mmCIF file of all heavy atoms in Angstrom:
data_model
loop_
_atom_site.group_PDB
_atom_site.id
_atom_site.type_symbol
_atom_site.label_atom_id
_atom_site.label_comp_id
_atom_site.label_asym_id
_atom_site.label_seq_id
_atom_site.Cartn_x
_atom_site.Cartn_y
_atom_site.Cartn_z
ATOM 1 N N PRO B 388 50.372 137.042 128.534
ATOM 2 C CA PRO B 388 50.639 138.445 128.894
ATOM 3 C C PRO B 388 51.967 138.572 129.642
ATOM 4 O O PRO B 388 52.395 137.744 130.346
ATOM 5 C CB PRO B 388 49.448 138.802 129.770
ATOM 6 C CG PRO B 388 48.412 137.858 129.542
ATOM 7 C CD PRO B 388 49.078 136.564 129.174
ATOM 8 N N ASP B 389 52.512 139.776 129.468
ATOM 9 C CA ASP B 389 53.891 140.058 130.089
ATOM 10 C C ASP B 389 53.790 140.194 131.529
ATOM 11 O O ASP B 389 54.861 140.355 132.194
ATOM 12 C CB ASP B 389 54.634 141.181 129.437
ATOM 13 C CG ASP B 389 53.890 142.446 129.475
ATOM 14 O OD1 ASP B 389 52.889 142.534 130.167
ATOM 15 O OD2 ASP B 389 54.315 143.459 128.802
ATOM 16 N N ARG B 390 52.617 140.197 132.210
ATOM 17 C CA ARG B 390 52.582 140.237 133.706
ATOM 18 C C ARG B 390 53.049 138.902 134.302
ATOM 19 O O ARG B 390 53.276 138.791 135.469
ATOM 20 C CB ARG B 390 51.193 140.529 134.216
ATOM 21 C CG ARG B 390 50.053 139.607 133.818
ATOM 22 C CD ARG B 390 48.798 140.097 134.352
ATOM 23 N NE ARG B 390 47.609 139.216 134.088
ATOM 24 C CZ ARG B 390 46.942 139.259 133.003
ATOM 25 N NH1 ARG B 390 47.195 140.174 132.059
ATOM 26 N NH2 ARG B 390 45.929 138.387 132.759
ATOM 27 N N PHE B 391 53.106 137.891 133.440
ATOM 28 C CA PHE B 391 53.602 136.535 133.888
ATOM 29 C C PHE B 391 55.122 136.480 133.551
ATOM 30 O O PHE B 391 55.593 136.604 132.502
ATOM 31 C CB PHE B 391 52.910 135.377 133.071
ATOM 32 C CG PHE B 391 51.446 135.262 133.467
ATOM 33 C CD1 PHE B 391 50.527 135.892 132.740
ATOM 34 C CD2 PHE B 391 51.113 134.403 134.519
ATOM 35 C CE1 PHE B 391 49.118 135.741 133.028
ATOM 36 C CE2 PHE B 391 49.783 134.196 134.837
ATOM 37 C CZ PHE B 391 48.790 134.903 134.092
ATOM 38 N N THR B 392 55.850 136.242 134.698
ATOM 39 C CA THR B 392 57.317 136.104 134.591
ATOM 40 C C THR B 392 57.856 134.880 135.353
ATOM 41 O O THR B 392 57.512 134.699 136.456
ATOM 42 C CB THR B 392 58.015 137.344 135.196
ATOM 43 O OG1 THR B 392 57.507 138.565 134.639
ATOM 44 C CG2 THR B 392 59.484 137.308 135.017
ATOM 45 N N GLY B 393 58.762 134.107 134.572
ATOM 46 C CA GLY B 393 59.310 132.954 135.272
ATOM 47 C C GLY B 393 60.798 133.176 135.456
ATOM 48 O O GLY B 393 61.464 133.935 134.675
ATOM 49 N N SER B 394 61.320 132.680 136.555
ATOM 50 C CA SER B 394 62.695 132.857 136.882
ATOM 51 C C SER B 394 63.199 131.628 137.687
ATOM 52 O O SER B 394 62.422 130.778 138.114
ATOM 53 C CB SER B 394 62.985 134.141 137.639
ATOM 54 O OG SER B 394 62.229 134.078 138.886
ATOM 55 N N GLY B 395 64.554 131.614 137.868
ATOM 56 C CA GLY B 395 65.104 130.503 138.797
ATOM 57 C C GLY B 395 66.157 129.758 138.079
ATOM 58 O O GLY B 395 66.453 129.902 136.894
ATOM 59 N N SER B 396 66.756 128.858 138.862
ATOM 60 C CA SER B 396 67.775 127.927 138.294
ATOM 61 C C SER B 396 68.051 126.849 139.392
ATOM 62 O O SER B 396 67.622 127.073 140.569
ATOM 63 C CB SER B 396 69.082 128.672 138.026
ATOM 64 O OG SER B 396 69.607 129.297 139.254
ATOM 65 N N GLY B 397 68.729 125.785 138.935
ATOM 66 C CA GLY B 397 69.141 124.837 139.868
ATOM 67 C C GLY B 397 67.920 124.016 140.426
ATOM 68 O O GLY B 397 67.303 123.230 139.819
ATOM 69 N N THR B 398 67.592 124.344 141.700
ATOM 70 C CA THR B 398 66.484 123.641 142.319
ATOM 71 C C THR B 398 65.324 124.581 142.721
ATOM 72 O O THR B 398 64.308 124.100 143.198
ATOM 73 C CB THR B 398 66.961 123.007 143.636
ATOM 74 O OG1 THR B 398 67.482 123.967 144.522
ATOM 75 C CG2 THR B 398 67.946 121.947 143.364
ATOM 76 N N ASP B 399 65.487 125.854 142.494
ATOM 77 C CA ASP B 399 64.507 126.872 142.858
ATOM 78 C C ASP B 399 63.967 127.736 141.746
ATOM 79 O O ASP B 399 64.794 128.332 141.077
ATOM 80 C CB ASP B 399 65.008 127.789 143.948
ATOM 81 C CG ASP B 399 65.208 127.081 145.313
ATOM 82 O OD1 ASP B 399 64.238 126.432 145.740
ATOM 83 O OD2 ASP B 399 66.338 127.037 145.801
ATOM 84 N N PHE B 400 62.671 127.647 141.505
ATOM 85 C CA PHE B 400 62.062 128.304 140.347
ATOM 86 C C PHE B 400 60.890 129.111 140.859
ATOM 87 O O PHE B 400 60.140 128.700 141.872
ATOM 88 C CB PHE B 400 61.662 127.310 139.330
ATOM 89 C CG PHE B 400 62.838 126.572 138.758
ATOM 90 C CD1 PHE B 400 63.312 125.442 139.363
ATOM 91 C CD2 PHE B 400 63.512 127.061 137.666
ATOM 92 C CE1 PHE B 400 64.449 124.707 138.860
ATOM 93 C CE2 PHE B 400 64.660 126.447 137.116
ATOM 94 C CZ PHE B 400 65.098 125.244 137.774
ATOM 95 N N THR B 401 60.517 130.224 140.188
ATOM 96 C CA THR B 401 59.420 131.098 140.712
ATOM 97 C C THR B 401 58.627 131.510 139.467
ATOM 98 O O THR B 401 59.190 131.891 138.347
ATOM 99 C CB THR B 401 59.989 132.281 141.301
ATOM 100 O OG1 THR B 401 60.799 131.912 142.484
ATOM 101 C CG2 THR B 401 58.907 133.264 141.865
ATOM 102 N N LEU B 402 57.321 131.521 139.621
ATOM 103 C CA LEU B 402 56.384 132.219 138.692
ATOM 104 C C LEU B 402 55.841 133.440 139.440
ATOM 105 O O LEU B 402 55.328 133.384 140.547
ATOM 106 C CB LEU B 402 55.193 131.291 138.311
ATOM 107 C CG LEU B 402 54.185 131.896 137.443
ATOM 108 C CD1 LEU B 402 54.763 132.181 136.050
ATOM 109 C CD2 LEU B 402 52.918 131.000 137.286
ATOM 110 N N THR B 403 56.051 134.633 138.810
ATOM 111 C CA THR B 403 55.493 135.833 139.377
ATOM 112 C C THR B 403 54.376 136.402 138.411
ATOM 113 O O THR B 403 54.620 136.502 137.210
ATOM 114 C CB THR B 403 56.647 136.907 139.510
ATOM 115 O OG1 THR B 403 57.660 136.313 140.353
ATOM 116 C CG2 THR B 403 56.051 138.112 140.172
ATOM 117 N N ILE B 404 53.343 136.813 138.995
ATOM 118 C CA ILE B 404 52.277 137.467 138.227
ATOM 119 C C ILE B 404 52.199 138.903 138.765
ATOM 120 O O ILE B 404 51.896 139.097 139.940
ATOM 121 C CB ILE B 404 50.879 136.785 138.444
ATOM 122 C CG1 ILE B 404 51.049 135.253 138.194
ATOM 123 C CG2 ILE B 404 49.904 137.358 137.446
ATOM 124 C CD1 ILE B 404 49.820 134.474 138.523
ATOM 125 N N GLY B 405 52.517 139.824 137.876
ATOM 126 C CA GLY B 405 52.776 141.198 138.242
ATOM 127 C C GLY B 405 51.595 141.881 138.938
ATOM 128 O O GLY B 405 51.687 142.420 140.011
ATOM 129 N N ARG B 406 50.489 141.988 138.243
ATOM 130 C CA ARG B 406 49.249 142.495 138.777
ATOM 131 C C ARG B 406 48.111 141.596 138.375
ATOM 132 O O ARG B 406 47.806 141.479 137.191
ATOM 133 C CB ARG B 406 49.007 143.983 138.211
ATOM 134 C CG ARG B 406 49.840 145.108 138.769
ATOM 135 C CD ARG B 406 49.467 146.423 138.102
ATOM 136 N NE ARG B 406 48.114 146.770 138.263
ATOM 137 C CZ ARG B 406 47.542 147.384 139.344
ATOM 138 N NH1 ARG B 406 48.363 147.780 140.312
ATOM 139 N NH2 ARG B 406 46.251 147.656 139.331
ATOM 140 N N LEU B 407 47.529 141.032 139.416
ATOM 141 C CA LEU B 407 46.480 139.956 139.131
ATOM 142 C C LEU B 407 45.240 140.588 138.425
ATOM 143 O O LEU B 407 44.650 141.493 138.912
ATOM 144 C CB LEU B 407 46.126 139.291 140.385
ATOM 145 C CG LEU B 407 47.246 138.319 140.963
ATOM 146 C CD1 LEU B 407 46.861 137.951 142.450
ATOM 147 C CD2 LEU B 407 47.288 137.124 140.088
ATOM 148 N N GLU B 408 44.883 139.861 137.379
ATOM 149 C CA GLU B 408 43.616 140.135 136.752
ATOM 150 C C GLU B 408 42.652 139.043 137.149
ATOM 151 O O GLU B 408 43.033 138.007 137.576
ATOM 152 C CB GLU B 408 43.790 140.140 135.209
ATOM 153 C CG GLU B 408 44.781 141.150 134.672
ATOM 154 C CD GLU B 408 44.123 142.549 134.692
ATOM 155 O OE1 GLU B 408 42.877 142.708 134.784
ATOM 156 O OE2 GLU B 408 44.925 143.561 134.570
ATOM 157 N N PRO B 409 41.345 139.383 137.095
ATOM 158 C CA PRO B 409 40.308 138.354 137.480
ATOM 159 C C PRO B 409 40.544 136.946 136.794
ATOM 160 O O PRO B 409 40.289 135.986 137.442
ATOM 161 C CB PRO B 409 38.965 139.003 137.106
ATOM 162 C CG PRO B 409 39.228 140.464 137.155
ATOM 163 C CD PRO B 409 40.749 140.631 136.648
ATOM 164 N N GLU B 410 40.933 136.963 135.536
ATOM 165 C CA GLU B 410 41.121 135.692 134.855
ATOM 166 C C GLU B 410 42.313 134.864 135.260
ATOM 167 O O GLU B 410 42.558 133.795 134.813
ATOM 168 C CB GLU B 410 41.149 135.929 133.354
ATOM 169 C CG GLU B 410 42.271 136.803 132.909
ATOM 170 C CD GLU B 410 42.007 138.297 132.733
ATOM 171 O OE1 GLU B 410 41.084 138.700 133.529
ATOM 172 O OE2 GLU B 410 42.617 138.937 131.948
ATOM 173 N N ASP B 411 43.092 135.460 136.124
ATOM 174 C CA ASP B 411 44.393 134.802 136.545
ATOM 175 C C ASP B 411 44.142 133.819 137.641
ATOM 176 O O ASP B 411 44.940 133.007 138.023
ATOM 177 C CB ASP B 411 45.449 135.774 137.006
ATOM 178 C CG ASP B 411 45.857 136.710 135.858
ATOM 179 O OD1 ASP B 411 45.667 136.364 134.682
ATOM 180 O OD2 ASP B 411 46.416 137.789 136.172
ATOM 181 N N PHE B 412 42.976 133.782 138.307
ATOM 182 C CA PHE B 412 42.741 133.004 139.474
ATOM 183 C C PHE B 412 42.399 131.554 138.984
ATOM 184 O O PHE B 412 41.455 131.329 138.224
ATOM 185 C CB PHE B 412 41.584 133.523 140.311
ATOM 186 C CG PHE B 412 41.983 134.858 140.959
ATOM 187 C CD1 PHE B 412 41.785 136.073 140.412
ATOM 188 C CD2 PHE B 412 42.663 134.796 142.226
ATOM 189 C CE1 PHE B 412 42.196 137.252 141.022
ATOM 190 C CE2 PHE B 412 43.145 136.001 142.812
ATOM 191 C CZ PHE B 412 42.884 137.153 142.199
ATOM 192 N N ALA B 413 43.304 130.639 139.316
ATOM 193 C CA ALA B 413 43.370 129.308 138.753
ATOM 194 C C ALA B 413 44.396 128.479 139.581
ATOM 195 O O ALA B 413 44.922 128.997 140.507
ATOM 196 C CB ALA B 413 43.793 129.385 137.236
ATOM 197 N N VAL B 414 44.563 127.227 139.051
ATOM 198 C CA VAL B 414 45.630 126.438 139.645
ATOM 199 C C VAL B 414 46.838 126.483 138.705
ATOM 200 O O VAL B 414 46.711 126.352 137.510
ATOM 201 C CB VAL B 414 45.140 124.969 139.858
ATOM 202 C CG1 VAL B 414 46.244 124.152 140.471
ATOM 203 C CG2 VAL B 414 43.905 124.974 140.707
ATOM 204 N N TYR B 415 48.027 126.553 139.336
ATOM 205 C CA TYR B 415 49.265 126.653 138.553
ATOM 206 C C TYR B 415 50.186 125.434 138.966
ATOM 207 O O TYR B 415 50.313 125.186 140.090
ATOM 208 C CB TYR B 415 50.047 127.960 138.863
ATOM 209 C CG TYR B 415 49.227 129.152 138.386
ATOM 210 C CD1 TYR B 415 48.198 129.672 139.040
ATOM 211 C CD2 TYR B 415 49.536 129.701 137.109
ATOM 212 C CE1 TYR B 415 47.449 130.787 138.559
ATOM 213 C CE2 TYR B 415 48.798 130.768 136.593
ATOM 214 C CZ TYR B 415 47.801 131.303 137.298
ATOM 215 O OH TYR B 415 47.101 132.360 136.777
ATOM 216 N N TYR B 416 50.755 124.884 137.917
ATOM 217 C CA TYR B 416 51.658 123.714 138.036
ATOM 218 C C TYR B 416 52.995 124.010 137.471
ATOM 219 O O TYR B 416 53.063 124.494 136.307
ATOM 220 C CB TYR B 416 51.042 122.466 137.401
ATOM 221 C CG TYR B 416 49.751 121.915 137.864
ATOM 222 C CD1 TYR B 416 48.510 122.385 137.378
ATOM 223 C CD2 TYR B 416 49.687 121.037 139.038
ATOM 224 C CE1 TYR B 416 47.365 121.901 137.863
ATOM 225 C CE2 TYR B 416 48.521 120.595 139.506
ATOM 226 C CZ TYR B 416 47.302 121.037 138.903
ATOM 227 O OH TYR B 416 46.036 120.567 139.442
#
Side-chain angles (χ1 to χ4, degrees):
Chain B
D389 60 8
R390 63 180 180 274
F391 290 90
T392 303
S394 62
S396 65
T398 60
D399 291 304
F400 299 87
T401 301
L402 175 69
T403 303
I404 310 173
R406 283 179 58 86
L407 287 166
E408 298 286 344
E410 63 266 27
D411 298 337
F412 292 92
V414 181
Y415 292 83
Y416 296 92

